């Protein structure tokens, strides 16, 4: 049975104050991790709600979408995805991913095999260590290869209404994909989907229930400086972040002392670094995915990845299914998901990479309609190369898009978590949502190592994900709030539902 915190431990943990700036996936997970242990945490977010940054749809339990990254990054993402699934179970969309290599691609499907075998072996090790790690099915079934005859035979079956077994996810695929466009065998891997709206709902619900977490939304951090009063810790200056910020007056400015600051500002992390003259090399990349509805959609769809070389006209095409015939699409070409000059780097004078103003306008929700249509139509055509009937899909909403940070100098880095700078200052630097928990773990350890907190209880839970409040959020309340958030943000409610 899970141990509960005693009043005494709670008071001890509460003695010091932690500020987490930015309530995206990283910041809200860090705030949850600390507040679940009774640590006094203030989460400061300039937007109106939590987890409303760039989108995510794929858990990356093995990183198999990225042929170009190292095996070690894939193994790290596998472990982090398993941990994430255990804490945010209700945000997981359980369905497999088909990895298909098009005939136009120079590589062969079996090139993927050595990595898949490494991942399967590591998954087995993790399950042997702790049976609760078995969240992606049996390790032996982590991936399977299908030759063309097997796929054609599956295509003869009637369309199932619900998936009773993995092959049920392949019937619609087998019937509607032009198999002549693909090399065989196909790989089917237990990489699941991840719902951004459901994660947002869980974070909003759980944080509201944790007395140690104080949330300040619509609040911008405009300055940080070392604390003059104590010589330790930080002074944070905030202002209301009303969208009409010119209306705020000096009286609206708040200055508060904290013992520890976490910079979880996503692609704006460099702005906080600059406030305290902390040097950091990072990149920022603007990308978009497109939301479509396919009225003639038949049957259940898995996630499908048609591999291709990033940045070329044949860049990877990714089809992510949601209930009701809705699909989120990516096309890793300059005309679809990627953008000319969309990748920028920091410089010696500033840790904040500067995106061109037209990207910032889009982030502030000013996508010109013609561009939404143009790129969505291109993405539909990119997918229809392989699924001809998909050409009847249409634009369902504005894109899901945003800018993400990539620490360091390698634009292919996908598994990153945290860096520490001056005493009492940590930066969350995740590239994938599933790395948020590892970031929170490292920050908890730093708080203990540096003596900011001395709680025995926190020490005890250093190696255990203690999320009693978060994991108690139930399916129906999560769905209700996730649908509400989807409506508020002008996306179809279907994106907030899962397949269960
Ligand atoms: C098109 C696209 C598709 C993606 N797909 C996936 C995927 O399938 N799977 C996956 O794992 N990842 C995916 N990602 C990456 C993922 O979205 C990001 O890595 C993740 O959202 C980063 O989370 P974060 O919390 O670090 O930053 P953010 O979500 O950007 O959060 C930072 C927060 O800080 C706030 N903030 C900034 N400055 C201040 C300030 N001065 N004061 C107060 N608040 C401030 C912002 O308002 C924001 O809410 C995708 C990214 C894109 C662009």
């Amino acid at each position: 049975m899970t141990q509960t915190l005693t009043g005494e431990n709670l008071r001890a943990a509460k003695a010091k104050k932690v500020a987490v700036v930015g309530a995206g996936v990283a910041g809200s997970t860090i705030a949850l991790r600390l507040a679940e242990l009774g640590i006094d945490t203030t989460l400061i977010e300039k937007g109106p709600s939590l987890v409303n940054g760039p989108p995510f749809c794929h858990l990356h339990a093995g990183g198999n979408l990225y042929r170009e990254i190292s095996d070690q990054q894939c193994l790290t993402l596998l472990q982090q995805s398993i941990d994430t699934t255990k804490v945010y179970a209700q945000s997981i969309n359980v369905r497999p991913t088909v990895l298909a290599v098009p005939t136009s691609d120079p590589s062969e499907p079996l090139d993927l095999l050595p990595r898949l075998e490494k991942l399967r072996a590591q998954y087995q090790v993790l399950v042997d260590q702790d049976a609760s790690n078995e969240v992606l099915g049996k390790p032996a079934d982590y991936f399977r290869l299908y030759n063309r005859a097997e796929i054609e035979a599956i295509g003869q079956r009637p369309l199932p209404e619900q998936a009773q077994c993995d092959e049920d996810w392949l019937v619609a695929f087998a019937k509607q994909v032009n198999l002549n466009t693909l090399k065989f065998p196909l790989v089917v891997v237990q990489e699941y989907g991840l719902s951004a709206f459901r994660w947002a709902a869980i974070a909003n619900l759980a944080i509201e229930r944790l007395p140690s977490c104080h949330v300040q939304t619509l609040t911008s951090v405009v300055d940080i400086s070392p604390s003059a009063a104590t010589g330790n810790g930080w002074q944070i200056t905030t202002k209301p972040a009303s969208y009409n910020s010119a209306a705020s007056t000096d009286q609206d400015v708040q200055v508060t002392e904290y013992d520890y600051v976490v910079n979880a500002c996503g692609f704006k992390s460099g702005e906080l670094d600059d406030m305290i003259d902390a040097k950091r090399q990072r990149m920022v990349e603007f990308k978009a995915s497109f939301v479509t509805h396919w009225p003639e959609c038949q049957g259940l769809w898995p996630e499908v990845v048609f591999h291709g070389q990033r940045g070329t006209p044949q860049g990877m095409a990714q089809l992510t299914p949601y209930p009701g015939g809705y699909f989120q699409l990516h096309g890793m070409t300059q005309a679809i998901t990627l953008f000319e000059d969309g990748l920028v780097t920091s410089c010696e004078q500033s840790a904040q990479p500067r995106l061109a103003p037209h990207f910032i306008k889009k982030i502030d929700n000013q996508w010109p309609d013609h561009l939404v249509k143009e790129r969505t139509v291109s993405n539909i055509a990119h997918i229809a190369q392989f699924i001809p009937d998909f050409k009847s899909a249409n634009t369902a909403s504005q894109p899901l898009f945003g800018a993400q940070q990539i620490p360091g100098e390698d634009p292919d880095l996908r598994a990153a978590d945290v860096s520490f700078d001056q005493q009492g200052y940590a930066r969350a630097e995740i590239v994938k949502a599933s790395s948020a928990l590892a970031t929170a773990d490292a920050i908890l350890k730093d708080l203990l190592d540096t003596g900011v907190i001395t709680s025995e209880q926190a020490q005890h839970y250093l190696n255990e994900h203690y999320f009693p409040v978060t994991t108690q959020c139930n399916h129906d309340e999560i769905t209700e709030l996730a649908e509400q958030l989807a409506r508020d943000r002008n996306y179809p409610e279907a994106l907030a539902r899962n397949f269960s």
Side-chain angles (χ1 to χ4, degrees):
M1 205 179 118
T2 323
Q3 209 177 326
T4 52
L5 295 178
T6 64
E8 198 163 322
N9 278 312
L10 206 62
R11 276 193 296 282
K14 267 189 167 175
K16 297 287 176 101
K17 289 168 65 180
V18 178
V20 179
V21 187
V25 171
S28 52
T29 300
I30 295 159
L32 282 171
R33 177 83 161 108
L34 303 184
E36 290 268 23
L37 292 166
I39 297 165
D40 188 309
T41 307
T42 303
L43 182 59
I44 308 169
E45 166 56 45
K46 69 177 179 183
S49 60
L50 317 187
V51 189
N52 192 12
F56 46 91
C57 60
H58 196 84
L59 178 63
H60 294 294
N64 290 294
L65 266 67
Y66 302 111
R67 293 184 297 187
E68 63 284 5
I69 70 174
S70 65
D71 287 357
Q72 185 49 53
Q73 287 193 63
C74 291
L75 293 167
T76 302
L77 288 171
L78 176 73
Q79 162 89 64
Q80 293 179 345
S81 298
I82 290 170
D83 291 343
T84 301
T85 303
K86 287 159 71 173
V87 173
Y88 290 103
Q90 294 282 349
S91 68
I92 307 297
N93 270 326
V94 178
R95 78 287 175 290
T97 296
V98 174
L99 302 173
V101 178
T103 49
S104 58
D105 193 82
S107 77
E108 292 302 322
L110 291 180
D111 296 346
L112 304 169
L113 204 51
R115 168 176 293 175
L116 285 159
E117 281 169 346
K118 260 189 205 170
L119 286 162
R120 180 170 59 188
Q122 180 60 17
Y123 181 32
Q124 182 68 64
V125 168
L126 294 172
V127 170
D128 290 346
Q129 279 167 2
D130 177 352
S132 73
N133 284 334
E134 196 177 293
V135 291
L136 307 170
K138 297 256 170 266
D141 302 333
Y142 174 67
F143 76 91
R144 229 203 104 171
L145 304 180
Y146 286 88
N147 63 35
R148 182 162 181 158
E150 287 171 311
I151 292 291
E152 283 172 344
I154 290 171
Q156 300 305 312
R157 298 184 196 169
L159 283 167
E161 301 226 333
Q162 275 203 322
Q164 309 292 345
C165 65
D166 265 356
E167 289 186 353
D168 286 346
W169 288 103
L170 298 180
V171 181
F173 172 96
K175 284 184 190 296
Q176 286 172 82
V177 172
N178 176 358
L179 300 181
N180 292 330
T181 60
L182 304 180
K183 295 183 184 176
F184 285 85
L186 295 178
V187 176
V188 178
V189 61
Q190 298 307 318
E191 286 216 31
Y192 298 158
L194 185 57
S195 165
F197 292 105
R198 296 184 74 80
W199 186 313
I202 296 168
N204 281 277
L205 287 167
I207 281 178
E208 211 170 84
R209 291 169 190 169
L210 283 161
S212 303
C213 193
H214 321 289
V215 183
Q216 299 176 9
T217 48
L218 293 172
T219 306
S220 267
V221 168
V222 293
D223 196 22
I224 309 185
S225 53
S227 168
T230 61
N232 269 324
W234 300 93
Q235 218 175 43
I236 292 192
T237 308
T238 56
K239 267 191 179 179
S242 58
Y243 289 107
N244 178 12
S245 58
S248 69
T249 66
D250 282 355
Q251 283 167 350
D252 296 325
V253 172
Q254 297 265 351
V255 181
T256 314
E257 303 271 336
Y258 293 94
D259 299 286
Y260 193 96
V261 174
V262 179
N263 171 356
C265 289
F267 87 99
K268 298 258 185 166
S269 296
E271 291 187 355
L272 257 68
D273 279 345
D274 284 353
M275 290 175 197
I276 59 163
D277 287 330
K279 301 274 177 227
R280 186 68 177 145
Q281 173 74 42
R282 61 163 64 79
M283 286 163 282
V284 160
E285 186 168 30
F286 182 91
K287 290 187 300 181
S289 61
F290 298 88
V291 186
T292 57
H293 186 233
W294 186 17
E296 292 83 30
C297 172
Q298 292 175 14
L300 298 165
W301 277 82
E303 172 131 358
V304 189
V305 171
F306 300 99
H307 271 307
Q309 211 181 333
R310 196 177 204 264
T312 69
Q314 284 308 318
M316 179 182 87
Q318 185 184 347
L319 176 89
T320 305
Y322 293 91
Y326 286 87
F327 291 87
Q328 182 176 346
L329 313 180
H330 288 76
M332 292 298 167
T333 79
Q334 290 289 338
I336 305 176
T337 287
L338 309 175
F339 289 75
E340 201 182 337
D341 300 325
L343 179 69
V344 287
T345 60
S346 55
C347 62
E348 187 51 35
Q349 293 73 33
S350 171
Q352 179 60 45
R354 308 270 161 207
L355 279 169
H358 65 96
F359 292 118
I360 302 296
K361 266 193 182 168
K362 290 190 183 75
I363 291 167
D364 293 341
N365 276 324
Q366 296 175 29
W367 273 77
D369 285 348
H370 73 88
L371 194 58
V372 173
K373 184 136 184 68
E374 211 175 273
R375 289 209 175 227
T376 312
V377 165
S378 298
N379 211 343
I380 291 169
H382 199 54
I383 297 283
Q385 298 175 82
F386 309 107
I387 312 172
D389 289 347
F390 196 75
K391 62 181 177 306
S392 66
N394 43 54
T395 308
S397 70
Q398 60 168 335
L400 285 155
F401 63 93
Q404 65 181 110
Q405 68 168 327
I406 307 171
E409 294 179 316
D410 173 9
D412 290 334
L413 181 70
R414 291 293 174 269
D417 40 54
V418 66
S419 68
F420 299 98
D421 197 277
Q422 300 162 38
Q423 175 88 1
Y425 178 76
R427 298 182 196 90
E429 297 182 318
I430 65 168
V431 184
K432 292 291 153 201
S434 52
S435 303
L437 211 47
T439 305
D441 295 347
I443 288 170
L444 178 61
K445 182 169 184 313
D446 192 55
L447 284 165
L448 286 159
D449 287 351
T450 55
V452 176
I453 56 168
T454 50
S455 155
E456 273 177 33
Q457 206 82 11
Q459 184 78 46
H460 175 78
Y461 286 110
L462 200 51
N463 297 316
E464 187 185 322
H465 289 133
Y466 180 77
F467 284 90
V469 175
T470 310
T471 49
Q472 267 167 33
C473 297
N474 74 47
H475 179 271
D476 291 351
E477 63 179 350
I478 292 167
T479 304
E480 193 184 331
L481 181 56
E483 287 179 355
Q484 178 65 49
L485 290 170
R487 283 194 298 276
D488 292 349
R489 298 173 187 179
N490 296 316
Y491 292 102
E493 286 176 10
L495 269 54
R497 300 187 190 127
N498 57 12
F499 286 108
S500 60

